[in-house]
Amino acid sequence: MSPLSLLTKLKSAPPSAPPPAPSSSPASPKIVSPTAPQAKTATDTVSLSAQAVSKMTGAADAPGGPSAPPVQLKIPGDLSFADFKAMSARMEKVMDYHLARGNFIRQSMESLRSQFGFEGEGEAAGNVSLSGEIGKVVERQAVSRGIAMPEKSQEVKDWEAERQSEASVPPEGWDKSSLITLFLPGSQGTDDKQVEIWLDNRAFDKLGKMSADEVKAGLVDMLNGPDAAASQAAVDDGAFGAAMRADSEHHSEFQKSKARLGFFDPEQGTSAQPWLMIQSRSEPGYVQENAGKLVDTVMSILKEGAAGRTAG
């Protein structure tokens, strides 16, 4: 072929496609599912197995093969349906017990109010408040009088045991002291027509074995009698004094009594705090006039409470 013919043929040939632009990253293969139909395109394709696709997309192989169900993970603190049902059944028993116990406490306090001569409905007719271990004695007395105390199921015992560490520790003095507070009819609350009966928890059994007449005959006037100074020092240095100081912010009346009668250990006398003490700032006359009746009632509580101890 002559040079002229060759030049003419090159000029008449269609222009070739421009070369591809340079790329800074390598070409990525196109992933095609092995079950999808393979489309015919000018682009090269790469067929991968299901296992390869899974690994490249981050999916983990399921135990037992691709058709096995995914693993169910247990997250700490999560409850299964069975756990939830058991917990619900347990809480139902706890709630039932506390409802029954609330009814028992109501009946016990109604009985106690009646013993102190408070009849009628409502707090205006007189009321009683309990602090310390004397509350358990009153409950046992109620049992001895035929008021049924609800029994604790094992579920309730377990529930209470789990919360024992949450119970608060009594302040100094209150761990050895009990207080029966009487709000006489018409009282408007704290320090109004209020009478306090203090008891040494450690003397419950000893007092309960004595007669009411012995206790009444042994009452000492702790403010005006010949042993006033010694008896006051015995209170200040004992558990009663510590309890009064611990509560002084809210009950300053405890340390400002205008009438105070006490029964001391017959063997130690006023050298140790009294076993029983009746006092009042707002109703000194009531204390002087009704001390005998109050002692009778307290002694009945202690004696009947001891009788109901096994039942409680």
Side-chain angles (χ1 to χ4, degrees):
M1 180 179 298
S2 66
L4 181 60
S5 298
L6 178 59
L7 179 61
T8 302
K9 188 173 182 179
L10 288 174
K11 287 183 178 180
S12 61
S16 59
S23 172
S24 61
S25 60
S28 301
K30 181 177 181 181
I31 300 174
V32 179
S33 170
T35 58
Q38 303 297 313
K40 298 295 185 179
T41 65
T43 306
D44 290 338
T45 62
V46 179
S47 297
L48 301 176
S49 67
Q51 184 178 12
V53 172
S54 174
K55 289 183 176 179
M56 293 184 68
T57 57
D61 292 339
S67 61
V71 177
Q72 298 295 323
L73 299 179
K74 176 75 173 177
I75 300 175
D78 277 5
L79 291 175
S80 68
F81 183 67
D83 291 337
F84 179 77
K85 286 184 66 177
M87 185 175 69
S88 297
R90 180 195 191 197
M91 288 309 301
E92 185 174 352
K93 290 184 178 181
V94 171
M95 291 179 66
D96 288 345
Y97 168 77
H98 282 285
L99 286 173
R101 177 165 174 75
N103 186 53
F104 168 74
I105 295 298
R106 179 183 59 79
Q107 294 180 68
S108 300
M109 294 305 292
E110 286 179 356
S111 172
L112 187 63
R113 289 181 66 248
S114 178
Q115 292 176 66
F116 281 107
F118 301 153
E119 304 292 346
E121 298 294 331
E123 295 185 357
N127 207 359
V128 184
S129 174
L130 302 175
S131 302
E133 291 296 312
I134 192 64
K136 295 180 181 179
V137 180
V138 169
E139 290 182 11
R140 293 196 295 265
Q141 183 201 31
V143 171
S144 72
R145 292 188 167 208
I147 301 175
M149 177 185 287
E151 295 185 5
K152 292 181 183 179
S153 64
Q154 189 58 48
E155 289 85 354
V156 174
K157 292 178 181 178
D158 293 343
W159 185 85
E160 290 183 342
E162 292 168 4
R163 285 153 182 78
Q164 279 184 349
S165 60
E166 301 174 8
S168 59
V169 178
E172 183 184 0
W174 283 111
D175 56 337
K176 300 179 181 69
S177 306
S178 285
L179 176 63
I180 302 174
T181 306
L182 307 180
F183 297 98
L184 305 182
S187 171
Q188 298 300 308
T190 300
D191 200 23
D192 182 54
K193 296 187 176 182
Q194 172 181 313
V195 176
E196 302 133 35
I197 304 172
W198 291 77
L199 290 156
D200 187 330
N201 297 344
R202 299 162 293 184
F204 284 174
D205 290 338
K206 295 176 182 178
L207 272 173
K209 293 175 181 177
M210 300 182 70
S211 70
D213 288 339
E214 287 180 284
V215 175
K216 285 185 283 187
L219 287 176
V220 172
D221 188 334
M222 300 174 63
L223 297 182
N224 301 306
D227 297 320
S231 61
Q232 182 59 47
V235 170
D236 291 341
D237 296 339
F240 291 171
M244 290 178 183
R245 289 189 293 273
D247 260 14
S248 60
E249 181 178 352
H250 303 289
H251 293 284
S252 60
E253 73 275 9
F254 290 168
Q255 296 173 293
K256 299 177 181 179
S257 297
K258 295 180 179 179
R260 177 180 285 172
L261 304 177
F263 179 80
F264 291 80
D265 182 343
E267 296 181 359
Q268 298 187 58
T270 56
S271 63
Q273 80 164 20
W275 288 354
L276 166 70
M277 185 171 73
I278 304 171
Q279 67 174 27
S280 178
R281 193 202 70 81
S282 58
E283 291 290 332
Y286 184 92
V287 170
Q288 298 290 349
E289 295 169 13
N290 295 277
K293 293 180 181 178
L294 296 177
V295 168
D296 285 337
T297 302
V298 171
M299 295 300 289
S300 293
I301 294 171
L302 293 175
K303 291 179 181 296
E304 294 177 31
R309 182 170 298 171
T310 55

